[in-house]
Amino acid sequence: MIYNMLKTRQYWLPLLLLAMLWSGCRGDEEVIPPVVTEQVPHPDPANAFSGMYVLNEGNMGSNKASLDFLDLHAGVYHRNIFGTINPKVVFSLGDVGNDLQRYGNKLFAVVNASNLVEVMEASTGRHIGQVELKNCRYIAFAGGKAYVTSYAGPIALDPNAQQGEVAEIDTASLQITRKVTVGYQPDGIAVAGDYLFVANSGGYRSPNYDRTVSVIHRQSFTVSHTIEVAPNLHRILVAPNGKLYVSSRGDYKNVPASVYVVNAGSGQVERQLPFAASSWWLDGTHIYAIGSQYNLQTKQYTFTMTKYDTHTERILSHSFVDAAVFATLKQPYGIAVHPVTKHIYLTDAGNFVSAGKLHAFDASGRKLWEVQTGDIPAHFVFLPASLGKPNPNVPLLPAVPTQGNPYITRVVDYCPAPGQFVNKLPEATDADTPETMCAKVLAAIGNNKGGLITLGGYGGYVTVAFDHRIPDKQGIPDFRIVGNAFDGNSEPAIVQVAYDANGNGKPDADEWHELQGSAYAQSRKGYRITYRRPSSLADDVLWTDNASQQGYIPRNEFHSQSYFPLWIEGNTLSFEGTLLPANAANKGTSGQPHWVLTAWEWGYADNKRSEDFDIANAVNNNGEKVNLPGADFIRIYTATNQVAGWLGETSSEVSNVIDLHSLPAARTKRIR
């Protein structure tokens, strides 16, 4: 729940809230989704570029950064090529692909929350190596070196957050050769002659944003001076006229997002351009920018597009693609312009937790086609035909289907408790029924789809099954559950298993057994809670429990849908089970809250991003071990009842459930 709310806000408030989003690990799962191809019209099979790479950021905390490839010659779009081409790279690209650039015959992907730069052969997409760099952001190149901005510290809102740095990487040896301290939370970086220009945001220190561009002399690798520009800087580029163009996100209140023209030599800010640039592309002298500006006071956001000529220094258009099509995009996010055909590519991030779309337009802005991408498509690299092109049809590691499909094939029951993402993950309407919602859940997380569903507040659950029984193999874990937890954001769910002893194909009430976790002795058994449907959407959701307590699932300004499951009949919803102790604490102050949700040691879903479970840990209602031959059904339910300040209610999310015994042996080992 926490991750999803912040990810949605992150698009409009990129640095105000992203501190709470990203963890410093790549997670535990090694499952590689297959490549999917789709035919699209191709613009010119004889042009100088064989294709275009698309880096999908992947929703935060889900280890879902991915790489797509548009084959311009064949007119084929290949989704998720990296994992298939590189099956031995653990966890594929990792968590949050923040930048993608080509330098010579190498392709560099900056993977922010995984704290690394992934280096590939540009011609094949094959893994070459990785460079570890904490909280890395953007990359630029000069003289055989790569220069990467880094926040240098942990991902956390902190008024005393440390200054960032720029790391110099030798592109031949892939070794970090030098580092230099710059401003607070540095983002975009550009090279002009002997100097590097770095846009500092200070986003972790909101509302005390940084306002400066750090100027680094490349030879001495020291900061020669700083240029004061505007608050919360983001992107930076050098135009053919030698001037710097720097985007500012503003302060989301009184200072609007804008672009500033800076004289690189004198350091003087020459003018402020009245348009936002959340993402942009420089084509010759033309800047194509898309903006997304959110206002905290009006609680409204505005999407814009602007074409600007750096030679004549004037705005050419505020509608460089079909405006009617642009208005249909839910979250305009990334942009690229073909160097030869001038075709324009715009991406739509949608709801940030499922597949996005790539829209292609001709040079006049007329829409040509659209195609599905990975999650949050954002960054592009055109591949010269002289380098060849990747082959995304390399087969996956051999399957070992001795037990059956390793992923769930059936959702038996889905009943979330009220919460701010209920009726959104997955989407629900008044026409939905329990059966249609089960189908939507399966579409989201079945067959290794890697989507995300919410379980809502305490007690909300999902019951899933495979096309076979998962056996209990002695001494090793039997299945894995993937959520979206990360360090400091654990929303634990209790896991139950049912063995179909009577063979009726249903999980009967007396067949359920809880899998004992590390907090079992501290938990409260037989806890019962009842939620009441509010009389209007503006009301919080009242709950009462069997401990004579009451409280609310609070509504917030970002989610206006009903928090009560639309397909559930009646005005009350009750759950009973085991209640874990609260794990949320404000480590900050009342004025600067910093909520931390501490993980339990082991044994709970969405407690860590991925957790393995052993059926041998099953206990009965008295806490006594039971010996089950295996599990035919798995139930996962939110196990805490708490509200973590402005983050709202604690709820558990599920992204995947996997039978470890049906995976190839090479794919089941874990990395801690």
Side-chain angles (χ1 to χ4, degrees):
M1 173 275 297
I2 292 176
Y3 150 69
N4 291 313
M5 180 181 70
L6 291 176
K7 176 57 188 173
T8 303
R9 295 184 68 188
Q10 183 261 358
Y11 184 66
W12 302 305
L13 309 180
L15 289 173
L16 176 62
L17 293 172
L18 61 74
M20 302 296 294
L21 294 176
W22 300 341
S23 61
C25 66
R26 298 183 62 147
D28 294 336
E29 184 187 0
E30 284 188 66
V31 178
I32 302 171
V35 164
V36 179
T37 61
E38 186 170 342
Q39 194 76 32
V40 299
H42 54 87
D44 182 359
N47 68 51
F49 294 89
S50 61
M52 179 179 73
Y53 284 108
V54 180
L55 177 64
N56 304 290
E57 291 185 355
N59 38 331
M60 313 264 182
S62 295
N63 201 53
K64 288 180 64 180
S66 64
L67 190 67
D68 298 349
F69 183 74
L70 171 61
D71 187 330
L72 291 170
H73 290 179
V76 176
Y77 192 86
H78 301 272
R79 294 196 292 274
N80 191 45
I81 69 170
F82 182 87
T84 301
I85 292 174
N86 303 285
K88 295 184 179 180
V89 177
V90 179
F91 312 130
S92 198
L93 270 180
D95 202 3
V96 187
N98 208 71
D99 197 11
L100 183 72
Q101 301 289 337
R102 181 182 68 85
Y103 187 67
N105 61 1
K106 291 186 175 75
L107 193 65
F108 293 76
V110 180
V111 189
N112 168 260
S114 288
N115 303 302
L116 60 87
V117 178
E118 171 69 38
V119 186
M120 298 160 272
E121 292 179 349
S123 59
T124 65
R126 292 191 182 278
H127 166 82
I128 296 175
Q130 295 174 345
V131 182
E132 293 186 2
L133 186 61
K134 193 173 184 64
N135 215 339
C136 44
R137 300 290 295 168
Y138 292 91
I139 191 168
F141 303 90
K145 307 294 183 183
Y147 298 97
V148 185
T149 56
S150 163
Y151 284 5
I155 298 168
L157 290 170
D158 183 356
N160 298 311
Q162 67 194 79
Q163 291 176 276
E165 61 189 17
V166 172
E168 179 187 74
I169 301 171
D170 183 90
T171 58
S173 66
L174 301 185
Q175 298 297 311
I176 295 176
T177 51
R178 294 184 292 181
K179 290 184 178 181
V180 60
T181 299
V182 290
Y184 294 102
Q185 291 79 64
D187 273 325
I189 183 169
V191 180
D194 294 331
Y195 292 91
L196 302 172
F197 295 86
V198 180
N200 302 305
S201 69
Y204 285 178
R205 299 162 62 88
S206 168
N208 299 315
Y209 297 109
D210 202 326
R211 302 174 57 90
T212 64
V213 169
S214 295
V215 184
I216 303 169
H217 185 249
R218 286 200 294 121
Q219 184 174 359
S220 64
F221 214 58
T222 58
V223 175
S224 63
H225 60 286
T226 59
I227 304 170
E228 183 164 334
V229 180
N232 202 4
L233 301 181
H234 183 200
R235 299 181 181 271
I236 186 168
L237 61 79
V238 180
N241 60 12
K243 294 181 180 179
L244 302 175
Y245 290 79
V246 188
S247 70
S248 163
R249 302 179 180 93
D251 65 359
Y252 313 108
K253 293 181 181 179
N254 302 313
V255 180
S258 304
V259 175
Y260 294 83
V261 183
V262 180
N263 187 303
S266 67
Q268 296 298 310
V269 177
E270 294 185 349
R271 64 180 56 85
Q272 177 183 359
L273 305 178
F275 61 87
S278 303
S279 182
W280 61 20
W281 188 273
L282 178 64
D283 179 62
T285 64
H286 294 160
I287 295 175
Y288 292 77
I290 54 176
S292 173
Q293 184 164 325
Y294 183 76
N295 189 297
L296 282 171
Q297 296 172 328
T298 64
K299 300 192 171 45
Q300 298 291 324
Y301 55 91
T302 304
F303 298 129
T304 58
M305 48 179 166
T306 305
K307 183 178 180 180
Y308 180 83
D309 190 339
T310 61
H311 176 67
T312 61
E313 297 186 333
R314 65 188 182 93
I315 293 175
L316 301 178
S317 172
H318 283 300
S319 184
F320 53 76
V321 300
D322 188 322
V325 175
F326 185 79
T328 66
L329 305 185
K330 293 181 179 179
Q331 299 289 348
Y333 204 79
I335 184 170
V337 179
H338 192 288
V340 177
T341 66
K342 305 305 178 184
H343 286 188
I344 301 165
Y345 299 91
L346 285 180
T347 65
D348 184 355
N351 64 1
F352 291 104
V353 295
S354 56
K357 286 187 177 181
L358 173 67
H359 298 261
F361 303 82
D362 66 16
S364 69
R366 178 177 61 91
K367 184 172 178 179
L368 300 173
W369 48 263
E370 66 181 65
V371 69
Q372 182 177 308
T373 66
D375 291 9
I376 315 178
H379 311 283
F380 307 87
V381 163
F382 286 98
L383 182 65
S386 60
L387 291 179
K389 60 184 177 182
N391 177 12
N393 297 312
V394 178
L396 293 173
L397 293 175
V400 185
T402 54
Q403 279 76 41
N405 190 330
Y407 311 109
I408 62 170
T409 58
R410 179 182 168 200
V411 176
V412 179
D413 196 7
Y414 175 56
C415 186
Q420 62 187 302
F421 287 97
V422 171
N423 301 317
K424 287 294 185 182
L425 291 174
E427 294 277 355
T429 68
D430 290 330
D432 275 308
T433 65
E435 292 75 19
T436 61
M437 289 308 299
C438 285
K440 289 183 176 182
V441 170
L442 185 63
I445 67 172
N447 201 28
N448 200 33
K449 294 290 182 59
L452 205 65
I453 65 164
T454 185
L455 302 183
Y458 174 82
Y461 66 88
V462 64
T463 305
V464 299
F466 295 76
D467 63 0
H468 62 282
R469 173 177 295 159
I470 303 176
D472 179 21
K473 294 191 176 182
Q474 186 175 2
I476 59 174
D478 303 304
F479 62 92
R480 177 176 298 163
I481 300 176
V482 182
N484 68 345
F486 55 88
D487 188 25
N489 179 34
S490 296
E491 301 177 290
I494 284 174
V495 178
Q496 296 175 297
V497 295
Y499 171 68
D500 189 11
N502 60 15
N504 66 358
K506 299 185 297 184
D508 297 314
D510 60 352
E511 292 176 343
W512 285 112
H513 294 88
E514 181 176 332
L515 295 187
Q516 191 176 58
S518 59
Y520 184 82
Q522 301 167 252
S523 61
R524 175 182 172 179
K525 316 305 186 290
Y527 180 73
R528 183 175 176 83
I529 191 170
T530 298
Y531 300 90
R532 301 190 182 280
R533 189 188 299 272
S535 57
S536 75
L537 284 181
D539 295 334
D540 298 335
V541 181
L542 173 69
W543 60 261
T544 57
D545 66 14
N546 58 355
S548 301
Q549 302 292 318
Q550 71 174 29
Y552 293 90
I553 300 293
R555 295 189 63 81
N556 61 58
E557 62 199 35
F558 302 101
H559 304 283
S560 59
Q561 85 286 358
S562 172
Y563 288 11
F564 205 93
L566 292 174
W567 64 98
I568 299 297
E569 297 181 357
N571 292 320
T572 62
L573 188 57
S574 297
F575 302 93
E576 185 170 353
T578 299
L579 176 69
L580 292 179
N583 68 328
N586 182 8
K587 302 294 186 179
T589 66
S590 58
Q592 290 281 346
H594 177 201
W595 285 93
V596 175
L597 281 69
T598 304
W600 297 104
E601 185 178 356
W602 58 273
Y604 302 99
D606 207 25
N607 179 54
K608 300 171 185 175
R609 201 196 67 83
S610 178
E611 184 77 17
D612 290 354
F613 295 84
D614 191 341
I615 297 171
N617 288 327
V619 296
N620 61 22
N621 291 336
N622 297 321
E624 302 164 335
K625 290 276 189 178
V626 294
N627 295 316
L628 301 177
D632 295 287
F633 306 95
I634 297 171
R635 176 172 289 166
I636 309 160
Y637 69 87
T638 301
T640 54
N641 182 18
Q642 65 184 2
V643 174
W646 66 274
L647 295 175
E649 85 285 349
T650 295
S651 69
S652 305
E653 274 77 43
V654 178
S655 176
N656 212 340
V657 186
I658 307 157
D659 171 18
L660 295 176
H661 306 317
S662 293
L663 288 176
R667 307 277 286 284
T668 59
K669 62 183 180 180
R670 307 185 70 215
I671 303 296
R672 288 287 187 182

